[in-house]
Amino acid sequence: MSTNRRTFIKQMGYVSLGFSMLGTACVLDSKKSVNAFDEIPKRPSEEQINAWIRILGDGRIKVLTGKMELGQGIRIAVAQVAAEELNTNIDLVEVNLAETGVTANEGYTAGSRSIEASAMSIRNAAACAREILKELAAKKLKIDKDKLDLKDGFILNEEQKFSFFEILDGQQIERNLKIPPEFKAKASRKIVGQPIKRKDISQMVVGKHTFIQDLRFPGMLHARIIRPPSYTSKLKSINENAFSEKEGFLKLVKIGDFLGVISEEEFQAVQLQREIFANTEWETGAPLPAEKDLKTYIKNLAAEVAVEEQRGDWEKALKSASIQHKASYFKPYIMHAANGPSCAVAIYKDEKLKLWTHSQGVYPLRETLAPLLEMPQENIHIIGTPGSGCYGHNAADDVAAEVALLAKNYPGKHIRLQWMRDEEHAWEPYGTPMAFEMEAGLTPEGKIAGWKYDFWSDVHSTRPGGNPDNLLPARYLGKSYKKPAGGFKGGALRNSVPYYEIADLQTQSHIFSGPLRRSALRSLGAFGNIFAIESFMDELAYKAGKDPIQFRINHSSDTRSIECLEKLQQKINSVKKSKNQGVGVAFSRYKNSSSYCAVAALVEVSEEGEVLVKKMWAVIDAGECINPDGLKNQTEGGMIQAASWTIKEKVLFSDQHIISLDWNSYPIFRFPETPECEVEVIDRVEQPPLGAGESAQGPAGAAVVNAIFDATGIRVRDLPVKDQLAKEINKK
């Protein structure tokens, strides 16, 4: 049978297809979405395939993800899985990032879940769409669907080809989901598993407008917030006559103790911010424990104590051990320290708010802003726009809430609020300090006999999640908002149980509420827990007279763990250490259920105690690898960041507030200090993909400290290393 294209399209009619998946999505024209104040979109049903995939009239495929691009490469990864299943050139795939009413509500971009959740949802949607398109074409052409192929947006047989858009008659796919017969990426992968380059990298290099900080609108106004001297300061008085006639001044927004100024130009806003602060008087807030030893201080705070893991009788096993060992460790408050201070743009008009933000959760932010602004959620449209990079809950939600408050009080104009460097350092929520006490025994054969682990930690996440208390401006509005009392305790528990075979053990948590603002920072409690556990494992290996890698292998039966460690051993076997150099290793499985990562570090320690990380190696097993370049980049970045945390980083504060306000008072690795990195990926196509963005943090920090011991014989147990090592060298 022969059917021409016109007849085929006439016969198609209206097509309704879809499936049930977590989340929803649709798409608006991206240029219009950014540059106009239009109607707030209505998202499609959660049971429609166009929540994830849209077929465009020009032959392109629109992929929708509820996740944000943070530099982790989610944009290219989701494009790869869709292109693979639809056998389409990846250049024809366009990705729409998180946007309320447009993309699925996938909560927060956090916990290394973007590939595991969003990318796999898109893979399912694309595979189902492929089968549906073939079925529809086969039915109309009255031929076996196995005689049809998909390629670059077309359905083909030997004689004809029709675009996806033509087959659908310009409609979208809305049929209920059926499990696809196969995933092409598992059977004949051509795109998935390849190191497809990220186009946004070249745009960053040449300085194209990429980030939220770059957004500009015609007639846009600028704003700044006047900050109190401390967390708990209260506004006593303000002399508005001193600045109301200043050039560019448009409005002072005062709500309780919250102060924001709106001006015509940005530098005018900066000048007004300083002028207004000079003309305010504040009550002194409650003092911070600046003179206290933080490690001792947090261990003496009131805490919620709980046994998190109990196996066998650790006390009996320890008493019978031939070697017994104890140690304690500590990590301080550390910053997200984003290179670009937080920024947001908003416009309020006709009782509706439109907001551009680099928040990692546009839907949770909308849920939180609604009660804060006393607006219905359906009147708030939030567009996710990449920021300059942040892994964790930094100030993105705070600046978004602040500009929303300002916009509501000055309708009809786009308002841009940009934080300054000292604001970002002083007011972001930090990674919490943690303290650790370890005790274990060894048998004559070098096996662990008895393990006791106690750790002290604040909660590790106070993301908004519908609670305005968790937004910085809320506490100054003069309403019932207050300092968040709780948070995500589970973040503190992350990797607190060693991923080794230990018959008799106990893990006990001590959850306190600390003096500084805190929330999720990359890997949450895993960094501190793995730093302590893997440092202690190294100490036990030394006590047992065992090779540190073999000691770990001896306590594991997980073949994937063992393969990572064995491959790491091969990488460092040939390392030639010079004087004052050492090699250290560490291992973890992130969350004890996600990616496996083994890390080694080569360090050099000067006579004055300065540490230079010369090279780092990693072997990572994240199951099926979607993009090896992306996975390597994530692992390299995690190792470098963790090494910087370990050696240098610590938040300093006085009795009033934070005093780490710049890159001198809060040093991070500079380019000359960045080590050479080598990453090997174990690609397991048959396995599901696992989150990997946070897998290297813990073992990287421990590997650096273990390498310092190998170089100097000095065991540094309190971070940052720079505060401790020089003292220990002087003692020697």
Side-chain angles (χ1 to χ4, degrees):
M1 172 187 166
S2 177
T3 304
N4 64 36
R5 180 173 297 187
R6 181 182 296 274
T7 305
F8 178 77
I9 296 300
K10 283 178 68 176
Q11 290 174 338
M12 282 291 296
Y14 178 80
V15 181
S16 180
L17 318 169
F19 70 86
S20 175
M21 289 284 290
L22 178 63
T24 61
C26 67
V27 67
L28 301 176
D29 178 82
S30 59
K31 183 173 283 189
K32 182 180 179 184
S33 175
V34 170
N35 292 316
F37 192 87
D38 27 76
E39 286 298 312
I40 293 175
K42 306 295 183 184
R43 69 184 190 179
S45 166
E46 291 186 0
E47 298 185 355
Q48 292 178 353
I49 200 167
N50 63 328
W52 307 95
I53 302 286
R54 301 272 295 187
I55 306 302
L56 305 183
D58 60 4
R60 291 176 300 127
I61 295 166
K62 174 80 77 174
V63 171
L64 302 110
T65 174
K67 300 297 186 179
M68 274 290 287
E69 177 62 72
L70 312 175
Q72 80 278 36
I74 184 64
R75 194 193 298 266
I76 191 65
V78 298
Q80 283 180 256
V81 298
E84 185 79 81
E85 298 308 319
L86 293 168
N87 196 29
T88 297
N89 188 313
I90 198 166
D91 290 336
L92 296 175
V93 178
E94 178 183 317
V95 178
N96 198 119
L97 298 174
E99 182 174 349
T100 58
V102 173
T103 63
N105 181 356
E106 296 192 77
Y108 288 106
T109 305
S112 296
R113 293 280 299 156
S114 295
I115 296 296
E116 291 181 16
S118 191
M120 293 304 99
S121 296
I122 290 164
R123 169 182 278 177
N124 286 347
C128 288
R130 178 191 68 233
E131 298 304 314
I132 289 165
L133 288 164
K134 290 174 69 175
E135 285 174 11
L136 289 169
K139 183 177 180 180
K140 294 300 179 182
L141 292 170
K142 294 184 169 34
I143 61 175
D144 190 329
K145 76 169 190 173
D146 292 336
K147 294 182 179 180
L148 296 171
D149 292 318
L150 278 72
K151 185 173 177 59
D152 296 339
F154 289 90
I155 296 276
L156 314 169
N157 66 12
E158 293 180 354
E159 300 175 0
Q160 302 160 293
K161 74 175 183 177
F162 300 92
S163 73
F164 295 169
F165 194 75
E166 288 175 318
I167 291 169
L168 295 171
D169 197 24
Q171 302 299 317
Q172 296 300 327
I173 303 176
E174 299 168 1
R175 187 186 296 173
N176 291 338
L177 173 66
K178 293 181 180 178
I179 298 173
E182 69 171 351
F183 291 114
K184 296 294 185 183
K186 295 289 189 179
S188 56
R189 60 189 343 208
K190 295 183 294 185
I191 301 172
V192 167
Q194 298 302 312
I196 308 295
K197 303 298 182 186
R198 288 172 49 184
K199 293 180 180 179
D200 57 336
I201 298 293
S202 61
Q203 293 173 344
M204 294 176 201
V205 171
V206 299
K208 283 192 176 180
H209 291 180
T210 302
F211 300 132
I212 181 73
Q213 288 87 350
D214 300 318
L215 275 185
R216 296 293 186 273
F217 298 90
M220 184 173 72
L221 305 178
H222 296 267
R224 288 295 188 273
I225 303 300
I226 293 82
R227 307 283 172 194
S230 73
Y231 284 135
T232 54
S233 294
K234 298 292 183 183
L235 181 65
K236 292 175 65 176
S237 64
I238 181 169
N239 179 12
E240 296 190 38
N241 294 327
F243 53 83
S244 59
E245 300 300 321
K246 293 288 183 179
E247 184 180 5
F249 175 82
L250 294 175
K251 184 170 185 177
L252 176 73
V253 176
K254 180 180 180 297
I255 312 171
D257 298 321
F258 173 82
L259 295 175
V261 63
I262 301 170
S263 67
E264 295 172 353
E265 303 292 342
E266 184 169 16
F267 187 57
Q268 293 169 347
V270 174
Q271 292 174 308
L272 285 163
Q273 180 189 42
R274 296 168 181 166
E275 185 76 23
I276 295 170
F277 182 80
N279 284 279
T280 57
E281 186 179 356
W282 302 83
E283 293 180 6
T284 303
L288 297 172
E291 302 303 318
K292 307 283 188 181
D293 173 70
L294 191 58
K295 181 178 181 179
T296 303
Y297 177 79
I298 64 173
K299 290 172 74 171
N300 286 303
L301 288 172
E304 175 190 334
V305 182
V307 174
E308 305 294 348
E309 185 82 7
Q310 181 81 51
R311 298 180 204 156
D313 188 336
W314 71 269
E315 290 182 284
K316 181 179 179 181
L318 184 61
K319 286 178 182 177
S320 65
S322 58
I323 298 174
Q324 297 178 358
H325 183 52
K326 292 183 179 181
S328 65
Y329 306 86
F330 173 73
K331 69 167 282 285
Y333 283 106
I334 53 179
M335 289 185 187
H336 296 84
N339 284 332
S342 296
C343 181
V345 180
I347 180 171
Y348 181 82
K349 183 179 177 182
D350 300 330
E351 299 185 344
K352 294 175 182 175
L353 178 75
K354 192 168 188 178
L355 175 68
W356 291 261
T357 174
H358 56 119
S359 168
Q360 293 173 17
V362 294
Y363 282 98
L365 177 60
R366 185 178 71 168
E367 182 185 355
T368 312
L369 289 180
L372 183 79
L373 301 171
E374 298 178 341
M375 291 178 63
Q377 287 190 44
E378 56 268 23
N379 284 3
I380 301 173
H381 180 196
I382 301 181
I383 302 167
T385 308
S388 60
C390 168
Y391 291 81
H393 175 210
N394 71 343
D397 294 297
D398 298 321
V399 71
E402 289 169 344
V403 80
L405 288 163
L406 298 178
K408 190 179 180 188
N409 282 273
Y410 202 92
K413 287 283 190 178
H414 288 90
I415 299 174
R416 177 180 180 271
L417 176 59
Q418 170 74 67
W419 278 26
M420 307 288 277
R421 170 52 52 200
D422 58 343
E423 290 178 278
E424 188 77 22
H425 272 35
W427 292 95
E428 68 147 271
Y430 309 113
T432 178
M434 298 179 73
F436 318 88
E437 289 186 357
M438 317 272 295
E439 187 174 0
L442 291 165
T443 68
E445 296 76 29
K447 294 299 290 285
I448 295 173
W451 176 284
K452 178 69 162 69
Y453 181 55
D454 283 80
F455 67 95
W456 287 256
S457 178
D458 205 333
V459 295
H460 279 261
S461 182
T462 53
R463 292 183 184 272
N467 180 7
D469 286 352
N470 290 350
L471 294 169
L472 179 63
R475 65 179 71 182
Y476 301 109
L477 295 181
K479 296 189 178 182
S480 60
Y481 305 119
K482 57 188 182 299
K483 172 187 173 183
F488 178 47
K489 174 188 172 182
L493 310 184
R494 194 166 290 177
N495 285 99
S496 58
V497 178
Y499 195 68
Y500 296 109
E501 291 186 342
I502 303 172
D504 303 285
L505 65 74
Q506 183 188 87
T507 296
Q508 186 167 251
S509 64
H510 305 253
I511 308 300
F512 60 81
S513 180
L516 302 188
R517 191 173 181 226
R518 75 288 192 230
S519 195
L521 180 57
R522 192 176 190 181
S523 81
L524 286 79
F527 171 71
N529 284 319
I530 296 168
F531 154 68
I533 288 170
E534 286 296 298
S535 294
F536 195 63
M537 285 292 288
D538 224 57
E539 295 187 45
L540 291 175
Y542 182 78
K543 292 277 185 184
K546 301 289 185 181
D547 172 82
I549 288 182
Q550 190 59 50
F551 183 74
R552 289 167 170 82
I553 291 173
N554 291 346
H555 288 87
S556 178
S557 61
D558 187 328
T559 56
R560 294 170 73 173
S561 298
I562 293 169
E563 185 174 353
C564 284
L565 287 163
E566 288 177 340
K567 285 183 177 293
L568 185 71
Q569 182 75 74
Q570 293 167 12
K571 289 185 174 296
I572 62 175
N573 277 339
S574 60
V575 173
K576 305 295 183 186
K577 295 183 292 184
S578 302
K579 183 182 178 183
N580 298 328
Q581 290 186 344
V583 174
V585 301
F587 166 82
S588 76
R589 185 179 185 191
Y590 184 52
K591 301 181 187 176
N592 287 356
S593 60
S594 193
S595 295
Y596 300 77
C597 188
V599 176
L602 170 66
V603 307
E604 183 172 289
V605 183
S606 72
E607 293 181 359
E608 294 77 28
E610 295 292 325
V611 179
L612 179 64
V613 184
K614 304 283 287 183
K615 185 169 182 177
M616 301 185 81
W617 299 262
V619 178
I620 185 162
D621 173 354
E624 179 193 6
C625 176
I626 305 301
N627 186 312
D629 268 5
L631 184 51
K632 288 178 182 179
N633 291 342
Q634 285 289 279
T635 307
E636 290 173 2
M639 291 194 294
I640 293 166
Q641 185 179 43
S644 180
W645 288 350
T646 301
I647 292 173
K648 292 194 163 195
E649 299 185 37
K650 175 184 179 181
V651 175
L652 303 173
F653 56 95
S654 69
D655 62 348
Q656 280 298 294
H657 203 50
I658 313 306
I659 56 176
S660 295
L661 301 179
D662 53 34
W663 298 120
N664 290 320
S665 51
Y666 190 84
I668 63 174
F669 269 13
R670 305 296 176 99
F671 281 114
E673 300 168 288
T674 302
E676 177 188 352
C677 292
E678 181 181 323
V679 177
E680 179 174 344
V681 173
I682 301 175
D683 187 5
R684 300 189 186 276
V685 179
E686 75 286 356
Q687 295 289 336
L690 300 170
E694 299 167 300
S695 299
Q697 301 297 115
V704 168
V705 169
N706 293 338
I708 291 170
F709 175 77
D710 187 51
T712 65
I714 295 171
R715 176 61 63 179
V716 179
R717 298 191 179 102
D718 291 357
L719 302 182
V721 166
K722 69 178 181 64
D723 284 0
Q724 301 298 319
L725 187 57
K727 296 176 186 177
E728 296 299 324
I729 286 176
N730 288 334
K731 287 180 185 178
K732 264 185 131 180

